[in-house]
Amino acid sequence: MPTKDELLYQIAELKSDYIRQQGDIEKLESTGYPELIEKAEKRLSDMEKQLAELNKQLEACES
């Protein structure tokens, strides 16, 4: 199981990637590529699930 510091680092990295992905989606929406937007939104959804899991692991470390 990862340490608390490792989990915090992974969470911060994932949040950064998430924000970058949101920016990419905004650019795609302005240019009109629905198939690419769908894939990008799927990646966002996957990141949200991964973030929830990391937060759950962090909570377990802190208790």
Side-chain angles (χ1 to χ4, degrees):
M1 182 165 194
T3 67
K4 180 180 177 180
D5 288 338
E6 290 171 332
L7 288 169
L8 289 171
Y9 178 80
Q10 289 177 2
I11 289 169
E13 192 174 67
L14 189 57
K15 285 181 178 181
S16 176
D17 290 345
Y18 188 91
I19 291 168
R20 190 172 24 259
Q21 187 68 42
Q22 284 179 317
D24 291 348
I25 288 173
E26 288 177 17
K27 290 176 191 172
L28 289 171
E29 287 174 339
S30 70
T31 56
Y33 290 99
E35 66 282 348
L36 295 177
I37 294 169
E38 269 184 49
K39 290 178 184 178
E41 287 175 341
K42 169 75 169 102
R43 283 193 295 271
L44 275 185
S45 176
D46 292 343
M47 286 180 190
E48 289 169 358
K49 291 174 187 170
Q50 190 177 6
L51 187 56
E53 180 58 36
L54 289 171
N55 280 317
K56 192 183 299 183
Q57 290 178 27
L58 180 60
E59 188 177 305
C61 279
E62 292 177 339
S63 59

